[in-house]
Amino acid sequence: MRGVTVSYGEKPAIFSIDADFPARSMSAIIGPNGAGKSTLLKAALGVIPRLSGEVRVFGQPMEAARARIAYVPQRASVDWDFPTTVMDVVQMGFYRKVGLLGRLSGRLEKQALACLERVGMADFAHRQIGQLSGGQQQRVFLARALAQEADLYLLDEPFAGVDAATERAIIEVLKLLKAEGRAVVAVHHDLSTVRDYFDHVFLINVRRIAEGPVETAFTTANLQAAYGGRLAATHLDELSMASGAP
């Protein structure tokens, strides 16, 4: 990303953001509430318009690389009352292959079931999506992303509001994707798991605060710059002690 700016009215939500997320890595976007984390992800995808800036993926303009990208939105942005089954949701990941009106082959149906098995949801294939718990819904949306067989996975708060078992299942799948050579970029809110889950971190508070490998960028100084007084000093000390960072 280069010079990405988004404004809601006269106030910029994110301003002149430069960012580089490495391939074959797990990257976290972190910052306080209202910092522009989700806005940054949506602006990169073109879900919301950018006032300025450009985004390139694997050396191509974003528009030319869409087939290589899978996106998992926040659960709160989804209409869970829509009358569709778990299997229907996962099969949406094949639309680029078959088109909106195309028929799914038996091979793709088996592939969709395999994606559900990867996230532990195969037994719920014919359940209505609104009947699931929040954690189960998140697993289904991850299965839909897996069906796209993307090279880059973008996730907006994938662990928000899910139980511990679901969080473990999701992070296991994401780490396997990284091991397969895929890139993962996630908006993340739990600072205590950043070091365990991610290789690369991007700190934002409207502007770019810091970026780099977790070992060098996830520091007390950078967290203080991003969060200011929103994090208790004791919490900052705990994070820095755990990482050994200054």
Side-chain angles (χ1 to χ4, degrees):
M1 302 182 191
R2 291 292 177 268
V4 174
T5 296
V6 173
S7 179
Y8 299 133
E10 296 183 358
K11 184 178 180 180
I14 56 175
F15 184 75
S16 193
I17 296 291
D18 292 343
D20 292 279
F21 297 100
R24 298 178 295 279
S25 294
M26 296 265 293
S27 299
I29 301 173
I30 63 175
N33 291 336
K37 302 184 296 295
S38 296
T39 297
L40 181 65
L41 211 59
K42 292 175 182 177
L45 284 164
V47 174
I48 57 176
R50 303 188 293 267
L51 280 181
S52 64
E54 67 171 1
V55 180
R56 300 183 71 83
V57 180
F58 303 116
Q60 295 180 298
M62 168 62 75
E63 294 71 20
R66 289 191 184 279
R68 303 179 66 182
I69 302 167
Y71 173 54
V72 179
Q74 287 188 22
R75 283 196 311 109
S77 66
V78 177
D79 179 8
W80 297 108
D81 294 325
F82 190 79
T84 188
T85 67
V86 166
M87 180 63 82
D88 290 336
V89 171
V90 177
Q91 290 177 342
M92 291 175 188
F94 299 132
Y95 282 171
R96 286 190 181 127
K97 296 179 180 179
V98 301
L100 288 174
L101 302 178
R103 297 187 64 181
L104 292 170
S105 66
R107 179 181 63 83
L108 288 179
E109 289 181 355
K110 290 180 181 178
Q111 188 174 333
L113 189 59
C115 292
L116 283 170
E117 288 175 350
R118 289 186 70 176
V119 299
M121 290 296 294
D123 291 341
F124 296 82
H126 302 292
R127 188 78 61 88
Q128 206 277 332
I129 191 71
Q131 296 175 348
L132 304 180
S133 69
Q136 290 169 335
Q137 290 169 343
Q138 193 73 319
R139 292 191 195 208
V140 171
F141 266 61
L142 179 56
R144 183 185 69 170
L146 293 174
Q148 295 178 241
E149 297 183 318
D151 296 310
L152 170 62
Y153 289 81
L154 303 177
L155 303 98
D156 196 351
E157 296 274 14
F159 307 115
V162 303
D163 56 89
T166 292
E167 182 162 333
R168 288 193 298 269
I170 290 174
I171 196 62
E172 181 179 342
V173 171
L174 296 182
K175 288 186 175 182
L176 284 173
L177 288 173
K178 186 190 85 165
E180 294 169 359
R182 320 297 175 91
V184 175
V185 178
V187 172
H188 190 59
H189 68 282
D190 184 358
L191 299 181
S192 67
T193 58
V194 169
R195 289 179 307 278
D196 293 332
Y197 291 176
F198 298 97
D199 314 302
H200 185 90
V201 65
F202 182 89
L203 289 89
I204 182 175
N205 192 344
V206 181
R207 299 173 182 266
R208 174 186 180 276
I209 302 297
E211 177 186 22
V214 169
E215 294 80 8
T216 57
F218 191 65
T219 65
T220 299
N222 288 337
L223 288 167
Q224 187 68 54
Y227 287 84
R230 302 192 195 188
L231 285 181
T234 53
H235 187 41
L236 285 169
D237 290 342
E238 289 171 0
L239 290 168
S240 62
M241 288 173 64
S243 64

